[in-house]
Amino acid sequence: MTPRMRIPLLLAGAMVVTAIVASCADPVHDQLVESLGPEDPSIPEGQYHRAGQPCTACHGPEGPAKTQFSLAGTIFWSGGVAQYSGSVIGVNNAVVSVEDALANTIQVQTNCVGNFFVTPSTYTPAFPILVGVFEGPGNQYTARMATEIGRATSCAECHFDPVNYDTPGHIFLTGGAPPEAEVNANSNCPVDPNLADSPTAALP
Amino acid sequence: MKMNARFVGSVTLAMAIAASFVVVAACGPTPDPNRVTNIYTPDNAFEEYAGGGAQVGVDGFLAARCATLDCHGQIGRPLRLFSQDGLRIVDDAGNYPGGAPETESEIFANFTAAISIQPELTSEVFAGNYDPHVLLLLRKPLQLERHKGGPVLQPNDDGDTCLTSWLSGNGVDYTACGNAAQYK
């Protein structure tokens, strides 16, 4: 084969390889990750970061996070009367109770910003699942989901800010103002548990 | 050497032919915006779909079990379902998930979505010419066709009975629809 013949074949081969490599990317997932914006500089990457965001956008099978979650989300106290102009404080030590279609259950506690997560090795639910959240003595504060979850693995896939035709807003444990004693008890949190103080608060 | 030249020529010719097919296919006729597909349903199809009072119709079942925000309660779905706790129709009412009860407009939009997935075939099923199980509305949840949400119905269970009784035109089984709307 002469060099002149090789060139078109090499070009065709390069085009095929380029097409295959390009088809391996998922632009929808990439855009979702991109839409979450940068980290809040005041909160290091870890269990307290990105409260209220769709955790498994990054902590899912497509990454880019190294750890993978089978379920994750954030629980907040109500922001008070003006739901979204007031504080949006994470609930510490709330119990998130999950029951899946095979009646397998798990209970997970939230950390001080309200984040909770479950790894696939601990529990991978068979959808649909039913979820309730409980906190306080005798489960004084209780919120149960009105619907089952069909397949979402992050609360914030559906529960994001602000309330609109397609979202009920964040998950709030109370309808009124946050209970002061509970919020004060959360003052040892290593990061600010008030989402409203975060520069990324407006992000989904 | 001659064979190689022929090979390269053949590849080039094949690529040119393939490209010409793509170009010709891309030049199809412009869709007619005035074209209408009629869907023929029994007179009481919407009443049975909607239910009312103590009777849970087909909508009560679909709204409870299929219309969650992470499934068919999404605006881009071919079977897009509105519900009180899921997606809300955008209108002056300004409803949001978990707010006011499902509106008449939302129920009618759900009815339209359910019968429009396969309009011609749905008309034939309502006319009694085919078994309801030829429709994607049943084949998907029964996992006879790929369904991203998995098998959410089993043959002859309450959900299957609810949809089948409605589509067969023999009177919807409100009891089955009511049972199917419950979380188990």
Side-chain angles (χ1 to χ4, degrees):
Chain A
M1 193 181 290
T2 65
R4 189 183 283 179
M5 291 171 192
R6 278 188 204 134
I7 290 170
L9 284 176
L10 280 172
L11 280 173
M15 284 169 67
V16 169
V17 169
T18 305
I20 290 171
V21 169
S23 68
C24 291
D26 180 349
V28 175
H29 176 257
D30 293 346
Q31 282 174 19
L32 173 62
V33 172
E34 185 75 16
S35 73
L36 300 178
E39 293 284 342
D40 179 341
S42 66
I43 302 176
E45 267 190 58
Q47 62 167 314
Y48 303 116
H49 81 145
R50 295 183 180 272
Q53 293 195 11
C55 315
T56 56
C58 298
H59 291 275
E62 292 180 87
K66 287 175 188 162
T67 48
Q68 194 172 324
F69 301 150
S70 50
L71 288 173
T74 312
I75 313 298
F76 296 101
W77 293 112
S78 166
V81 178
Q83 194 173 15
Y84 291 103
S85 61
S87 56
V88 184
I89 299 169
V91 181
N92 189 25
N93 288 332
V95 174
V96 180
S97 179
V98 181
E99 180 178 0
D100 75 0
L102 302 175
N104 295 320
T105 61
I106 191 169
Q107 297 196 320
V108 201
Q109 268 194 328
T110 58
N111 62 26
C112 66
V113 298
N115 282 349
F116 73 92
F117 49 89
V118 182
T119 58
S121 59
T122 309
Y123 181 78
T124 300
F127 286 96
I129 58 176
L130 294 170
V131 180
V133 185
F134 310 94
E135 207 276 340
N139 293 332
Q140 182 182 1
Y141 302 101
T142 298
R144 290 181 193 277
M145 270 197 67
T147 67
E148 55 190 15
I149 298 172
R151 63 178 195 230
T153 50
S154 292
C155 302
E157 283 181 45
C158 302
H159 290 273
F160 52 88
D161 223 2
V163 172
N164 207 337
Y165 69 95
D166 60 350
T167 176
H170 287 307
I171 301 171
F172 289 111
L173 195 50
T174 57
E180 203 172 331
E182 297 283 350
V183 173
N184 289 340
N186 201 7
S187 58
N188 291 330
C189 191
V191 301
D192 184 353
N194 188 350
L195 185 67
D197 294 342
S198 166
T200 59
L203 292 167
Chain B
M1 193 67 75
K2 262 186 184 175
M3 265 183 74
N4 283 337
R6 260 189 218 145
F7 173 70
V8 172
S10 302
V11 168
T12 308
L13 183 64
M15 288 175 74
I17 290 170
S20 65
F21 270 117
V22 171
V23 170
V24 168
C27 295
T30 309
D32 178 3
N34 297 314
R35 184 181 163 184
V36 171
T37 302
N38 291 316
I39 307 173
Y40 300 96
T41 67
D43 290 343
N44 61 349
F46 176 65
E47 286 169 32
E48 290 193 343
Y49 177 86
Q55 291 177 320
V56 176
V58 178
D59 189 72
F61 157 52
L62 294 182
R65 304 304 306 277
C66 311
T68 54
L69 287 166
D70 58 339
C71 291
H72 288 277
Q74 292 181 352
I75 206 77
R77 289 306 185 89
L79 178 60
R80 177 213 52 218
L81 296 171
F82 299 101
S83 63
Q84 179 177 9
D85 292 313
L87 183 69
R88 304 313 302 259
I89 214 164
V90 179
D91 59 14
D92 292 341
N95 287 327
Y96 54 88
E102 197 178 7
T103 64
E104 181 90 6
S105 303
E106 289 170 332
I107 297 171
F108 187 74
N110 291 350
F111 170 72
T112 309
I115 63 173
S116 303
I117 303 169
Q118 294 167 289
E120 296 91 347
L121 197 52
T122 301
S123 297
E124 294 275 10
V125 167
F126 273 124
N129 296 332
Y130 288 100
D131 184 285
H133 292 92
V134 299
L135 294 175
L136 290 174
L137 191 61
L138 276 160
R139 294 182 67 79
K140 286 260 188 178
L142 285 165
Q143 195 76 331
L144 301 172
E145 302 264 350
R146 186 187 173 276
H147 184 229
K148 199 170 181 182
V152 294
L153 299 181
Q154 299 295 322
N156 302 314
D157 73 0
D158 288 316
D160 184 21
T161 304
C162 172
L163 286 169
T164 305
S165 61
W166 174 59
L167 290 162
S168 64
N170 296 324
V172 69
D173 187 334
Y174 289 111
T175 305
C177 294
N179 290 338
Q182 303 299 315
Y183 301 120
K184 299 199 172 62

